[in-house]
Amino acid sequence: MGKSAIAAGVLAVLAYVAQMVIGLDMADWLFWTITSVGAIATLTTVWLANRRATTAHQAAEAATKNQRRAFEDVLVPLALNLDQIVSSNNRIERQALKQQTKLAIVGLTATFIDPPDTRACFLEETPNTLPGMREVKCQNNLWSGRNVAPVTVFKESDIRGKELLQLLDDGTSQFVHDVDQLPAALKPDSDSYKTYITCAVTAGGTSFGLLTVDCLKPGDLHQDDVTIVQVFARMLGVALAARR
């Protein structure tokens, strides 16, 4: 399945989720966040589905086939999980569902990016730290992909940790095509990856963490992959923001 078709399927689910939660009791900002994402997703789905098709007929066939596969395999269960989070009145149950969603998003991100050795990780900020002592870390083994664990803690006192926390605060993304082109202070501590994408997980102005993807060789990741990771990060942000 091509990246464009995969992204189309993911975005179609976002549109579905937006329609599914309309009318439920939620904060205004969350309602408009989900509704806006759904509207953008619907338009982007059409664009992505047609990008590689040469005729309207081929576009319709390709979109239908690939979206059906995506829905049946993983995306509909994920959408239903989001529905349960929004609908549940039990806080403990919602927290468990949100943890399941974190695991699902990390797994999907690692699976949907093309290279088989792709690794994904969710970094969360450690709460209640002192000024100048902030850190983000991979908690509860929230990573998936090749059988080498990622670096799990980044501290504000370290230049790489400071950069990640800035991305988190700004709600932005970063794509590094080749880590060997970075300044020495920003290069990874090992050669376990050579290219990476980092996306802030946010919703309604609230930051929840960073979704990261890395691969072994420059060229394994592309700009199209940034869009896919951003979509997954937004889905996770909406799930974590719902009924807090």
Side-chain angles (χ1 to χ4, degrees), residues 207-223:
S207 298
F208 296 98
L210 297 158
L211 184 61
T212 70
V213 175
D214 63 69
C215 288
L216 295 176
K217 302 187 298 297
D220 281 348
L221 295 174
H222 305 277
Q223 192 62 43

Side-chain angles (χ1 to χ4, degrees), residues 2-244:
K3 293 177 183 177
S4 294
I6 291 170
V10 173
L11 291 166
V13 170
L14 273 177
Y16 166 75
V17 171
Q19 296 169 10
M20 179 175 59
V21 301
I22 288 174
L24 294 178
D25 183 22
M26 64 182 73
D28 288 344
W29 68 263
L30 181 56
F31 172 85
W32 288 113
T33 294
I34 297 174
T35 303
S36 299
V37 170
I40 295 169
T42 302
L43 295 173
T44 308
T45 296
V46 175
W47 176 74
L48 286 171
N50 281 277
R51 195 172 69 174
R52 292 185 179 177
T54 57
T55 68
H57 178 69
Q58 288 174 323
E61 286 189 345
T64 299
K65 179 180 178 180
N66 289 315
Q67 287 179 25
R68 183 182 300 117
R69 288 179 59 187
F71 277 127
E72 292 175 351
D73 289 347
V74 288
L75 295 176
V76 164
L78 181 58
L80 293 175
N81 202 42
L82 291 172
D83 181 35
Q84 288 180 290
I85 292 171
V86 173
S87 303
S88 175
N89 291 318
N90 185 307
R91 186 175 182 276
I92 295 176
E93 181 182 21
R94 288 199 304 272
Q95 291 303 112
L97 288 166
K98 289 180 180 184
Q99 187 67 21
Q100 292 175 17
T101 304
K102 292 176 188 178
L103 290 167
I105 291 291
V106 169
L108 289 173
T109 304
T111 300
F112 276 12
I113 305 298
D114 277 348
D117 53 17
T118 299
R119 181 176 59 187
C121 179
F122 181 51
L123 300 169
E124 300 175 83
E125 184 170 2
T126 302
N128 304 318
T129 54
L130 296 174
M133 302 288 289
R134 295 171 65 196
E135 64 178 22
V136 288
K137 64 189 302 185
C138 180
Q139 303 184 42
N140 302 313
N141 291 316
L142 280 171
W143 64 276
S144 180
R146 61 185 182 275
N147 295 323
V148 178
V151 175
T152 56
V153 180
F154 295 89
K155 297 180 179 294
E156 187 177 15
S157 56
D158 176 75
I159 188 169
R160 293 181 64 215
K162 187 175 182 179
E163 182 181 61
L164 285 174
L165 284 162
Q166 189 64 55
L167 288 176
L168 179 64
D169 293 341
D170 294 342
T172 55
S173 304
Q174 181 184 45
F175 172 37
V176 175
H177 174 74
D178 185 353
V179 300
D180 289 335
Q181 303 302 314
L182 292 171
L186 291 175
K187 289 183 179 179
D189 298 330
S190 69
D191 291 328
S192 62
Y193 61 94
K194 290 295 185 179
T195 181
Y196 66 88
I197 297 168
T198 303
C199 292
V201 176
T202 64
T206 301
S207 298
F208 296 98
L210 297 158
L211 184 61
T212 70
V213 175
D214 63 69
C215 288
L216 295 176
K217 302 187 298 297
D220 281 348
L221 295 174
H222 305 277
Q223 192 62 43
D224 284 351
D225 297 314
V226 178
T227 300
I228 296 174
V229 178
Q230 287 173 335
V231 168
F232 280 126
R234 182 57 60 88
M235 290 180 73
L236 181 54
V238 168
L240 297 179
R243 303 290 298 277
R244 296 180 68 196

